[in-house]
């Protein structure tokens, strides 16, 4: 049960928060800068890259704990 809570607290919640932030930025790009909405790919790439690196690090820690 503790491992499941660690996965939820350390991987799922930060991932959801990161993507919620991205979609908020994307919405603002669409409303304010319609012509440049393709620039929203930049925050998506940053958030996705960060989440991949962070989740891999957490997964390694969790698998070592057993």
């Amino acid at each position: 049960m503790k491992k499941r809570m660690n996965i939820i607290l350390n991987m799922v919640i930060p991932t959801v928060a990161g993507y919620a932030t991205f979609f908020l930025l994307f919405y603002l790009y669409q409303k304010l800068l319609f012509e440049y909405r393709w620039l929203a790919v930049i925050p998506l790439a940053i958030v996705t890259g960060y989440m991949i690196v962070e989740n891999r690090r957490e997964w390694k820690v969790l698998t070592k704990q057993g």
Side-chain angles (χ1 to χ4, degrees):
M1 185 67 173
K2 184 177 179 182
K3 187 174 182 178
R4 180 175 286 168
M5 288 303 294
N6 280 341
I7 290 172
I8 291 171
L9 292 175
N10 295 330
M11 293 177 73
V12 175
I13 292 174
T15 302
V16 170
Y19 280 107
T21 303
F22 160 71
F23 283 113
L24 178 65
L25 288 173
F26 182 73
Y27 175 77
L28 291 174
Y29 271 106
Q30 274 188 325
K31 293 297 177 188
L32 300 175
L33 304 168
F34 184 76
E35 301 84 22
Y36 302 103
R37 66 177 181 257
W38 57 271
L39 287 174
V41 172
I42 295 168
L44 175 64
I46 292 170
V47 168
T48 302
Y50 176 76
M51 289 299 152
I52 288 171
V53 169
E54 196 63 30
N55 285 347
R56 279 187 184 167
R57 187 177 302 135
E58 282 296 326
W59 190 252
K60 287 178 185 177
V61 169
L62 289 172
T63 54
K64 286 181 183 177
Q65 290 176 355

